[in-house]
Amino acid sequence: MTRLRSFLVSVLLISCISLSSLQTMAQAPSKVDANFQNESSQVNAQLSQIDQTLQSLIANYGENAVQKNTLSAQISEKRRQISETDRLMTDTRIVIGQLEKEIQDLNQEITVADDEISRMYIELQHGYDPLKILITGDNIGDIVSKFYISSSIADQIQLKRNEKVAKQAELEETKQQNLKVQDQLTQARNLLDSEASNLDALIQETNGQESKYQNLLNTISQQKLELESSLDTLSGEYIAELADLREDNQDFDYTSNTNCN
């Protein structure tokens, strides 16, 4: 009777232990699953936030690239305008130099004409003195003829001289117009230089932004890879824990069956 009672107590103890173990083992997968879902949800939330940040950075990077291309095109155009302005300034300087030479040549020719006219008028005044004519007895007709010839030559020289003066005035006016053009080109060149400098500063800033965006993209992409790797690790650990639980269940079932037998 005593042995029977001891046997029954042992059976009850084993049953209680088995029931408790069964309950614990039944709850274990749910706990593991809950932990995995919680941790994986946190990682996925971080991945979602990173994806949004990446999309925003990529959009900003694209806008920065478009701005850079626009600025590069504007700088190229400014440089083309500067080159064209420099060419016009060179041409204008050449024209002004040619005009100054022509004006100087005409001025010398006018001076020569003035000297010639003065010399001829002096000769006319001294060479045809009536008293001298009476004393020398020269032929008056020949003297008058020579006088008119000399006077005609002097008039022709004066006419050409006047033409040279008019031409000189015309060239001087053209020179002044070219000087004004030169001043305008110089002002335009200075303005283009200023605009090109501003564009250069902007593109340097854009390059800085591009480098900044690139570094951020690299950093966040690396963070994304690390989180994805972490998620893979969590999945592997989850699968391993479930496998361990299944193995524990199989060992428990085997032990229980052995005890019962």
Side-chain angles (χ1 to χ4, degrees):
M1 187 67 179
T2 302
R3 291 180 179 178
L4 178 61
R5 186 175 299 172
S6 298
F7 174 75
L8 291 173
V9 170
S10 298
V11 170
L12 287 173
L13 287 172
I14 291 172
S15 299
C16 290
I17 293 171
S18 299
L19 180 60
S20 175
S21 299
L22 284 173
Q23 290 175 345
T24 301
M25 295 176 68
Q27 292 173 355
S30 298
K31 184 177 180 181
V32 170
D33 185 67
N35 290 336
F36 171 73
Q37 293 298 331
N38 182 45
E39 292 180 5
S40 63
S41 294
Q42 292 179 4
V43 174
N44 283 323
Q46 293 177 2
L47 283 171
S48 178
Q49 184 176 3
I50 282 180
D51 284 336
Q52 292 177 1
T53 303
L54 282 174
Q55 290 177 2
S56 177
L57 282 174
I58 291 171
N60 291 335
Y61 185 85
E63 291 176 0
N64 192 76
V66 171
Q67 184 180 8
K68 179 180 177 181
N69 292 335
T70 301
L71 289 172
S72 296
Q74 291 177 351
I75 289 175
S76 296
E77 176 60 20
K78 291 299 176 185
R79 287 174 179 167
R80 186 196 67 78
Q81 292 176 359
I82 288 173
S83 178
E84 178 65 16
T85 303
D86 287 342
R87 185 188 66 80
L88 291 173
M89 290 176 69
T90 300
D91 292 345
T92 303
R93 281 194 296 268
I94 292 173
V95 170
I96 291 172
Q98 292 173 344
L99 289 168
E100 287 177 341
K101 185 178 184 307
E102 291 183 37
I103 291 171
Q104 184 178 3
D105 291 342
L106 283 171
N107 190 59
Q108 292 176 353
E109 293 175 6
I110 290 169
T111 300
V112 171
D114 286 340
D115 292 341
E116 184 67 17
I117 292 170
S118 296
R119 184 186 62 78
M120 291 188 71
Y121 278 126
I122 291 172
E123 289 181 355
L124 287 172
Q125 290 175 358
H126 292 82
Y128 304 102
D129 185 3
L131 181 60
K132 183 180 180 182
I133 293 173
L134 291 174
I135 294 172
T136 58
D138 291 337
N139 188 297
I140 296 177
D142 292 340
I143 293 174
V144 171
S145 177
K146 290 179 180 180
F147 177 83
Y148 280 112
I149 291 172
S150 297
S151 179
S152 177
I153 293 173
D155 289 342
Q156 290 177 4
I157 294 174
Q158 181 68 45
L159 179 62
K160 290 181 179 180
R161 186 260 183 199
N162 292 340
E163 290 176 353
K164 293 179 187 298
V165 170
K167 180 65 176 177
Q168 186 184 46
E170 181 182 342
L171 291 175
E172 186 63 37
E173 182 180 357
T174 304
K175 174 189 170 183
Q176 293 303 320
Q177 291 174 351
N178 278 273
L179 286 172
K180 289 180 180 179
V181 170
Q182 187 180 48
D183 289 341
Q184 292 171 353
L185 289 172
T186 301
Q187 292 175 6
R189 179 66 161 76
N190 293 336
L191 179 60
L192 289 171
D193 277 339
S194 176
E195 292 175 348
S197 296
N198 291 336
L199 288 172
D200 283 333
L202 286 174
I203 203 167
Q204 289 300 324
E205 181 180 349
T206 303
N207 288 334
Q209 290 292 330
E210 182 180 26
S211 177
K212 175 183 176 181
Y213 286 135
Q214 188 62 58
N215 291 335
L216 285 173
L217 283 170
N218 292 337
T219 300
I220 294 177
S221 296
Q222 182 62 34
Q223 291 176 356
K224 182 178 180 180
L225 290 175
E226 292 174 358
L227 285 172
E228 289 174 341
S229 176
S230 175
L231 189 60
D232 291 339
T233 300
L234 284 175
S235 298
E237 292 175 350
Y238 171 67
I239 293 172
E241 288 186 28
L242 289 180
D244 290 341
L245 288 173
R246 281 195 294 268
E247 185 177 349
D248 291 343
N249 284 336
Q250 289 175 356
D251 292 342
F252 178 79
D253 291 340
Y254 174 79
T255 303
S256 297
N257 290 333
T258 302
N259 290 333
C260 290
N261 289 332

